[in-house]
Structures are given as C-alpha cells and as structure tokens.
Amino acid sequence: MEQINNVGGFSAKKVDDKTLILFFGPQHPSSGHMRIIVKLDGDIIVESDPDIGYVHRTMEKLSETKEWIKNSVLFERLAILDAGNVTQAYIIALEKLLNVEPPPRALYLRTILSEINRISSHLYGMGIFAIMIGSSTGYMWFFGDREIMVQLAERITGSRLTHTYHIPGGVRRDVSNAFLEELEKGLNYIERRLKDYEVMFVNNPIIRSRLENVGVLSRERAIELGVTGPNLRASGVSYDVRVEEPYGAYQFVDFEVPVYKEGDALARTFQRFDEIRQSISILRQLIKSIPEGPVLNEKYLKLFTKKMKDIWDAEKRVKFPSIFANLRPPAGKAYGRVEEGRGEIFFYLESSGEAKPYRVRVVTPSFRNSILLKYLPVGERLADLPAIYGSIDYFPPEADR
Amino acid sequence: MTDSSREFQGTSLLSEKTSEIIIDSPDQLLPLAKQLKDKGYDHVISLSAVDYPKSNELHLVIHISSYTKRDLQPKVFELRVKLKKSEPKVPSLINIWPSVEFQEREAYEMFGIVFEGHPDLRNILLDQEEFSGVHPLLKDFKIPEEDITLKLKEDVKSGTNK
Amino acid sequence: MLDSFILFIKNIILWPPVFYLLIAPGLVTILISLLLLIWAERKIAGRIQMRYGPLEISPKIGGAIQLVADLTRYMLQEIIIPRTVDTLPYLIAPIAGFIISLLPVAAIPISPIYFPSPMTNSIIVALALTTLPPILNILAAWASNNKFSLIGGARESFLIAAYELIVILSAIGAMVIYGTSDFTEAVSLQKNLWGIILNPISAIAFYVAVLMATGRFPFEIAEAEAEIVMGAYTEYSGLLYGLSMGISYTRMFVYNVIFSLLFLGGWQPFFTIGGHIFISYVLIPATVVILKALIVSLTMVFTRAIYGRLRIDQALGGAWKFWFLVAIVGLIWGSALTYLQQVI
C-alpha cells in the first residue's frame, strides 16, 4: 500500500482493495481552500494527507518587491479575520529594525485591537466548527455576535477587517472616550451571550458526544509537532507569547493563560471560550487604565507639517510623514512574534538597508497547526474529520501564504 | 579547519549566551541540533532559507524555541547553516524535531534544498508539476509579468482590438 | 351534457383512490404541507438564529411562498447529468423515490367511511410501503458513481436496518392494544383515550425512529452536507435534486399521518354536520388528521435548530442498544395492557 513508484514525474501508488481514497476538498462544503486526501478502511481513516496549497499568494516573494510600509497591507491579507494581530507582528519586527518604540497609549490601543480581534477570530472559528458538526444555530449565533467585535474594530480603525492600523512607532488613529464606553457595552453583551452558547452549543448533549475523546492530542505529541495556540494549551502546555515575550500593553494587565489537560476537541472548544473570557477581562482592565498621550513616536511627530498637525488635532488621525514612504531600516535582521487568535505568528525580517525587504519569512499558526491534519484524523471515523478540522480552528488562507 | 574542531567550536558557542550560531558545513547540523534539543529547545518555529547570490550561498535559517523550559534564554534561538548554492543538501531534522516536517517540504519547494532522510519530501504549497525544478524564493527567480495591459495597448495601436 | 360532464369529473375526483393519492393526503396536500413545513422550519430556525428567514419573495406574508420560488428555480435549472453516472437508474431513482414515498397513502384512510381501498390490514400495508423509498436512495447512491454518494448510500443502508425494526415494533405495540391491523378500527377505538396515553413508550420509539428514517437532526447522517456533501444526492442538480429533497419531507409527512392515526386519535374528535355528508365525513376528518400530522412534523423540523449531527456509530448504537429495547418494552407494555384487560 505504501509503495510509491516515481517514473518520469508520474507517480503511482499501490492501494489494497479495502482502502477507499477520498478527496476531501478543495470543493467540499467544509474543507475550505484546501484538500485532505484521506484513505478509508470502512469508516476509519487510515491515512490523511493534507494538501494545503490551494490559495498560495506568494507573499514572501511579493514582499521583496514592495516597500516596507506597503508590506503591512500585504501581510494582513494572511488572515483578514485576525488582521490586527498579523500586522502587529510585522510592525514589531520592523520597529526592532528601525529601533523605534511606540508611546504607551499606542501600545494600549494596539492591545485593545488585538483582543477584539482575538474574540472575533475565536467566534469565527467556532462558527465554522458549529456548522461542520451540523449545529446551524451555533453557526448563526457565533457569526452574528462576531459582528459586534468587527464593528468595534471598525470604530477604532475605520475598517472592518483589513485594519492597517499599526505603523512603525505607533498607530494610525486615536480613539475617543465614547468608543471605550461602546466597547464596555459590547463586552457585556458577549459575556452574557457566552452563557447562552454554553447551554446551546457546548453543553448540548449531541454536540458534546461528538467532541468528547475525538482527536485527542497528548501533551508530548503537541510539543513534538510544534503545535501552537489554543490547540497547544488545550493539550496541557501553558505557553502564550503574550506571557513569554510580552508586547503591547500585556505587561500592564493581569490575565491567566487557561489550560486544559484532555487535548480533545471538547477541550479545544472550552479553551476558546475561556480565552474569550480572559480577553474580556483584559479589555476591561485596558479600558480603565489607558493613559493619555500621543499615539505616534516623537521621532515621527517632529516631522509633522502644519497641515498634518491640523488634521491630527481635528480628527485624531495620523497623516503619514513622507519618511514612511521611503523607510530604509539599517541592514540587519529581526523577528517579531505575536499571539494571534489561532496561535503564534512569527515574522523574520532581513534588511539590506534598502527601501524593500531583503527577505521576509512568516510562519503562521495555521501552517504550524496544519501538521495536525496529517496526524490527528488517523484512526478516527470519517465523520470526525470535520470535527477535528473545525476544532483546531484551521484557516487555510493563513497556512498557505 | 577539520570537522571535529568546528564541532568543538559549536559546543563552546552553545555554552555562551548567544542567540544564534552559524555553521559552515551541513554535517555539523545534526549533532548541534541534538545538543540544542537536549538543552530544552523542543520545537521549531520556522525553518526557511535566505538566498545570497553575491557570495553564492544559501543560508538555511532555523528558529527554535522551547515549550517546556520556559526560563531558557534566549527565547528564540537562531541556527544558520551555510549551504552551497550549487548543491544544497542538508540532513533532515525530522528525527530530532518532528515539527519541521511541513517546513522542510516548504524549504524544498521554495529553495530547492534537499533534506536527506525526510520521509515525504515533495511540494506542499506549490503545484508539483508546474514548480518541479523551479524555486521561486531564490533571488534569480523572475516573477513572470502579466502583459495583458501591454498587449491591449499594442492591439489598440495596431487597430486589431475593435 | 355539461352537467353530466361535471358530475363525471366530480365522481372521478371523489373516487377514493384518486382523491387519496391526488388531493388528500396525497400530492396536493403534501405540496401544501411542504410549503407550510419548510416555511415554518425556515422561519422558526431564523427566529432562533437571530435572523429573519425567507423575506425576499412576498415580504408582506413573511416570505411564505419562498418554496414556490425555489421550486420554479429548480424546474428552470439545467439538469446536469455527469458523464460517469449510470444514467437510467440515476434518472429513475429520485423520480421513483418521490412517487414511492407517496404510495403508503393508498393504504391510509383519513375518514371513517371513505377508504382509499377497502382492506383490513391497512396498517401493515402502509408500514410495508413506507420501507420502500430508502432502496431508491441507495440506488441513487450507487448510480451516481461518486465516493461521497457511495458513503451516503452505505450510511443509509445501515440506518434502514436500525430504524425500520423500531418503527414496525412500536407500531405493533399500538396494534396489540387495539387488537386490529385496520386503521379505521384502530382510530374508532381511540375515541375516549388516545394511543399515546395508552402506550407512550411505543409512541416515543416511533417518533424517534421517524426522525431517524427521514433524516431529521440529529440523525441527518446519510446526507450530512459538511461531511459527505448530501450523500446520495451529491451528483444531482436541478429538478432531480429538488425531488430528492422532497422525498424526506414527504416520507416524514406520511409517517406522521400514520403516527397521528396510531397514537394521536386520527380524526377524533369526530363530529358531523347534518346534511353535509362530504364535509362531515371527508373534509373535517381529513383536516383534523392533516393538522395533527403537520404539528408533529413541525416538532420534527424544529430539531434542526437545536441539535448537531450524530456520528453513524453513535446513531446506530443508540438505535440498537436503546431505542430497539424501548420499542420492545413498548410491545410488552401493550401486550400486558391487553392481557390485563382480558383478565379483569
């Protein structure tokens, strides 16, 4: 069965009679933009081969042809449901190269956007997950309530999904106190709804029976496979970039990293619920303690012309000084990493002192988690494949840069 | 410089609080990786390469970190292996860090680096047929430009596009 | 001349086999019930799921005729027949499936004196006829020549084995109490006490088995869009797809007519209006039965908004290890009731 013959580019695999090869995707209601080639023995998956390269957008190559600042617009297309966190990782790495630091208020605003993004990303992931196991109500609820977080993000950044909020040395817009009140209202709503979700979704006996002991990822296996994010923590490893290498305003707030031992699909679902609760608590602390002040590094504020200052005073909106169009970080290398909703995103930048990056390497959480699609479904039933796929919150366009 | 002395230098480098090691020969990668793993670096964040056409080198860049030993410094360790561009071959790290499996496949298709001992070395993101032997992240790979607009202009000029 | 023609037409329509299969509870009623059912399903689910449900077509009556628009679209859509399918069975399966799913109507009376066909074993005949459509489903799965369809057909065949037995055992559980296999007699015996009160165990088992038989949630396993892409109907499009979607609703409605006759007192409470024989003996009882069946069907479509989908092994395990035993307990309960009645 495992014999592979390679003759002149053509490959043929020998399969025994009992095995059924099933192409799960790329045009499958729950596969997303990818394909999983599963081999079935009866109803049991004996081999699973994720073929994740269906939405390749050549980001690493493309970034070498664009100016540094323009790349932030490119990279947030990695995962537009979590764009704030993705851009933040890139900008953190770029700030290391440029050796600038954002002022405290900008750090707070970045973290507020990060957490709003995290909640909306978790709600999105669970919505997809719900429809995969047939709970259409869960799907509609999660997607409907995600709208609240998306609109809050729009209130901060001016755009629903592709925020382009972070710039080296700060952020693009300031927020008013009225927004912070809105945010508090939104958080209260989500907190109230979390109880409804528990009744309707996770504690629903049918849903629970589909998730318990499905796709169990042991602690050792999770570490070995380099899994990241909620999937890692649901397997009992307490690891969170927000704690390991605090960025933004995470050093100013208290929060717990929830951990579950079981490592099954149910634990991963509970993990996301707990993370949403932590995010709400973080956001509440941030609302209370956000400092006043500028949102852009003084180095750049000095370069503001009269007109830019007027716009800043009137609309609290940063007009780019011309230096941003032609950023030339000194030659060197830097990395930036951020805990995204789905896990750790890692940017490695290499500059040769030019206006364009020499090399950008980005490793996304979904790419690191995609290896689970190869190892977790083996031995499970075919019907568990969507449950596993949904529970690891896999987002194909993010994995396939 | 012989291999053994390089290896010795590698260990001495490790004992210091460096955040990166550059090794010249791919042969030293496996022993060094074993030491790093024993030290506590249990997973690979990123495995990729950087192309330096001027010095005719290809650097394999590996970023590793630790889930289990959280007080390990530095948090992210960078491991660089200099490879000859004409024949980029390196032993696979899959037995030390299974988390490199897909990343090595990506480096294979993007840079043409052959990981010896990898059980399933084939393209992961790019099309197997269109990109066999073509490695897009190398600096000498020219992105094919779409000439649709250009053609249209010519058509307009010559009057064929009516 | 005209009068005799009208009389002729009237006689044809009121001829029981035609009336039953075409008007009530046959084609026309089922289409209208489908309209109502699917609309209600969408609206109720919409209300629970924080959305409006259908509203684009006929917004003033809440999108009630959305299904008509859907049907029109299905009819005008091109029917794509893949090259790899086995064409004849592929075409026959959904059409025959739809017709056969209507067949049990030929044995189900909805009035005390007005039968589709005079027979004394109507319960057994009706139940026997309800078991036919899944075979066409499996035929569609096989003819489609698609792996997803094949898995869907395999799942369906597993499920048939599990639910048919429960349906028939729990129906026998009710028949034992009435001591007859004739619907008319069974209903007339429920004049004072409905079957669901006499034998609630069999009623519940029957209800769950119908959920399973008609692919309602949480037993929507043979279709399972997120897993096997509508199972047997993966390769269908246009009108054929519309028909195959209609099959499960039709089956559910027919099963629920049987359910309301066996357990919900059929056309009881039965009353007559003097001088109007047709209204008293056909229209009113038919309306009562159909209303009961519709209400039961509504509770069945409502499960979509609450539950997820079970796995095949969980559904089969539940059916064989639990509901099968429940059906047997219901049968014993029914027999015990009858025995006690004879003794006392």
Side-chain angles (χ1 to χ4, degrees), chain A residues 60 63-64 68-69 71-72 75 86-98 168 327 329-337 346-353 356-363, chain B residues 46 50 52 61 63 78 80:
Chain A
E60 288 180 15
S63 64
E64 291 169 11
W68 287 95
I69 191 77
N71 275 330
S72 81
F75 283 122
V86 178
T87 329
Q88 192 174 1
Y90 174 71
I91 295 292
I92 284 175
L94 184 53
E95 277 170 352
K96 278 185 190 167
L97 280 179
L98 288 167
L327 282 177
K333 54 189 181 179
Y335 71 84
R337 48 184 197 149
F346 178 86
F347 272 93
Y348 171 75
L349 309 184
E350 210 167 297
S351 166
S352 56
K356 292 168 183 171
Y358 187 75
R359 170 94 172 96
V360 179
R361 165 70 174 164
V362 45
V363 182
Chain B
S46 157
V50 186
Y52 296 102
V61 186
H63 290 94
E78 187 181 319
R80 265 173 185 260

Side-chain angles (χ1 to χ4, degrees), chain C residues 123 127 131 161-177 199 201-203 205-206 209 262-263 319-320 322-335:
Chain C
I123 297 181
L127 284 175
T131 58
Y163 66 72
E164 288 301 356
L165 202 57
I166 304 171
V167 168
I168 288 166
L169 278 180
S170 39
I172 294 174
M175 277 153 64
V176 162
I177 295 177
N199 195 348
I201 306 170
S202 285
F206 192 93
L262 277 183
F263 294 105
W320 285 113
F322 184 72
W323 291 109
F324 176 63
L325 297 181
V326 170
I328 288 192
V329 170
L331 183 59
I332 294 170
W333 170 264
S335 319

Side-chain angles (χ1 to χ4, degrees), chain A residues 227 348 350 358-359 401, chain B residues 48 51-52 67 80 106 139:
Chain A
V227 175
Y348 171 75
E350 210 167 297
Y358 187 75
R359 170 94 172 96
R401 285 96 50 212
Chain B
S48 189
D51 183 16
Y52 296 102
Y67 282 148
R80 265 173 185 260
E106 197 195 353
K139 290 286 178 190

Side-chain angles (χ1 to χ4, degrees), chain C:
Chain C
M1 175 66 195
L2 193 67
D3 283 355
S4 65
F5 183 69
I6 289 174
L7 195 68
F8 174 71
I9 294 287
K10 201 176 155 192
N11 279 340
I12 288 257
I13 289 177
L14 288 184
W15 187 45
V18 173
F19 183 82
Y20 266 80
L21 282 175
L22 278 188
I23 314 288
L27 208 56
V28 173
T29 313
I30 280 181
L31 279 183
I32 294 170
S33 329
L34 280 192
L35 200 79
L36 283 172
L37 260 184
I38 294 176
W39 175 70
E41 174 178 10
R42 288 172 171 174
K43 275 293 180 191
I44 294 172
R47 177 55 63 87
I48 294 171
Q49 296 170 354
M50 308 195 302
R51 59 193 174 87
Y52 291 114
L55 207 60
E56 200 60 40
I57 312 290
S58 68
K60 275 183 188 156
I61 49 170
I65 59 165
Q66 174 71 36
L67 190 74
V68 178
D70 288 353
L71 275 180
T72 322
R73 184 177 71 82
Y74 280 137
M75 279 179 209
L76 299 176
Q77 214 173 12
E78 183 190 356
I79 298 174
I80 299 163
I81 302 175
R83 227 178 304 160
T84 50
V85 302
D86 196 348
T87 316
L88 191 64
Y90 171 86
L91 290 175
I92 286 175
I95 300 168
F98 190 76
I99 295 165
I100 289 178
S101 64
L102 272 174
L103 263 191
V105 167
I108 303 174
I110 47 162
S111 151
I113 57 161
Y114 183 68
F115 315 108
S117 52
M119 58 173 104
T120 48
N121 292 325
S122 50
I123 297 181
I124 291 170
V125 174
L127 284 175
L129 289 175
T130 55
T131 58
L132 287 180
I135 297 167
L136 275 299
N137 181 309
I138 295 166
L139 179 69
W142 187 254
S144 289
N145 194 9
N146 177 311
K147 287 174 183 170
F148 289 113
S149 301
L150 193 69
I151 296 172
R155 286 183 177 190
E156 179 69 34
S157 51
F158 273 116
L159 284 172
I160 297 171
Y163 66 72
E164 288 301 356
L165 202 57
I166 304 171
V167 168
I168 288 166
L169 278 180
S170 39
I172 294 174
M175 277 153 64
V176 162
I177 295 177
Y178 310 135
T180 173
S181 56
D182 182 9
F183 275 122
T184 323
E185 221 180 312
V187 172
S188 65
L189 285 173
Q190 293 179 62
K191 194 173 181 182
N192 299 319
L193 215 51
W194 287 3
I196 194 167
I197 299 166
L198 286 172
N199 195 348
I201 306 170
S202 285
I204 291 171
F206 192 93
Y207 183 88
V208 173
V210 171
L211 280 182
M212 212 184 280
T214 55
R216 301 291 103 201
F217 275 89
F219 301 107
E220 197 234 23
I221 295 163
E223 289 176 0
E225 196 187 356
E227 290 159 20
I228 51 171
V229 213
M230 302 315 282
Y233 305 118
T234 306
E235 295 285 3
Y236 283 92
S237 55
L239 191 59
L240 290 180
Y241 178 75
L243 275 182
S244 32
M245 287 301 97
I247 293 177
S248 76
Y249 281 97
T250 314
R251 289 190 73 205
M252 178 175 69
F253 186 73
V254 169
Y255 267 124
N256 285 334
V257 172
I258 297 176
F259 183 77
S260 43
L261 289 178
L262 277 183
F263 294 105
L264 297 181
W267 48 82
Q268 312 283 4
F270 180 66
F271 53 90
T272 52
I273 299 169
H276 295 86
I277 294 169
F278 181 70
I279 294 178
S280 310
Y281 287 98
V282 180
L283 271 193
I284 293 176
T287 318
V288 172
V289 172
I290 286 162
L291 267 182
K292 281 176 182 170
L294 261 182
I295 290 168
V296 180
S297 304
L298 264 185
T299 63
M300 286 185 174
V301 295
F302 181 64
T303 56
R304 171 180 295 270
I306 304 172
Y307 293 117
R309 185 186 300 116
L310 281 173
R311 223 162 43 214
I312 180 87
D313 57 322
Q314 290 169 336
L316 291 179
W320 285 113
K321 287 179 196 154
F322 184 72
W323 291 109
F324 176 63
L325 297 181
V326 170
I328 288 192
V329 170
L331 183 59
I332 294 170
W333 170 264
S335 319
L337 268 190
T338 324
Y339 178 73
L340 283 177
Q341 200 183 22
Q342 281 166 357
V343 169
I344 300 164

Side-chain angles (χ1 to χ4, degrees), chain A residues 213-224:
Chain A
N213 295 323
V214 167
V216 179
L217 178 66
S218 69
R219 187 175 189 272
E220 291 71 34
R221 204 86 182 103
I223 294 169
E224 227 175 41

Side-chain angles (χ1 to χ4, degrees), chain A residues 7-24:
Chain A
V7 185
F10 292 99
S11 58
K13 288 183 189 180
K14 276 188 185 165
V15 183
D16 65 14
D17 296 340
K18 280 199 304 190
T19 318
L20 177 76
I21 300 179
L22 193 67
F23 283 11
F24 199 83

Side-chain angles (χ1 to χ4, degrees), chain A residues 84-123:
Chain A
N85 282 321
V86 178
T87 329
Q88 192 174 1
Y90 174 71
I91 295 292
I92 284 175
L94 184 53
E95 277 170 352
K96 278 185 190 167
L97 280 179
L98 288 167
N99 200 17
V100 287
E101 292 232 329
R105 188 172 173 86
L107 286 179
Y108 269 74
L109 289 175
R110 282 181 180 187
T111 309
I112 287 177
L113 183 64
S114 284
E115 291 305 313
I116 288 175
N117 268 204
R118 190 183 318 282
I119 296 176
S120 76
S121 159
H122 281 337
L123 289 177

Side-chain angles (χ1 to χ4, degrees), chain A residues 49 53 61 64 224-225 227 239 244 333 348 350 358-359 361 363 368 370 374-375 400-401, chain B residues 20 43 45-49 51-52 67 70 75 78 80 99 101 103 106 122 125 136 138-139:
Chain A
D49 177 19
K61 185 74 181 174
E64 291 169 11
E224 227 175 41
L225 293 178
V227 175
Y239 186 90
E244 301 299 320
K333 54 189 181 179
Y348 171 75
E350 210 167 297
Y358 187 75
R359 170 94 172 96
R361 165 70 174 164
V363 182
R368 284 172 67 185
S370 63
K374 180 168 182 181
Y375 291 112
D400 189 9
R401 285 96 50 212
Chain B
E20 64 169 290
H43 70 282
I45 296 177
S46 157
L47 181 144
S48 189
D51 183 16
Y52 296 102
Y67 282 148
R70 293 174 57 188
K75 294 266 185 198
E78 187 181 319
R80 265 173 185 260
S99 41
E101 182 176 343
Q103 308 223 16
E106 197 195 353
R122 61 199 159 95
L125 300 180
L138 293 177
K139 290 286 178 190

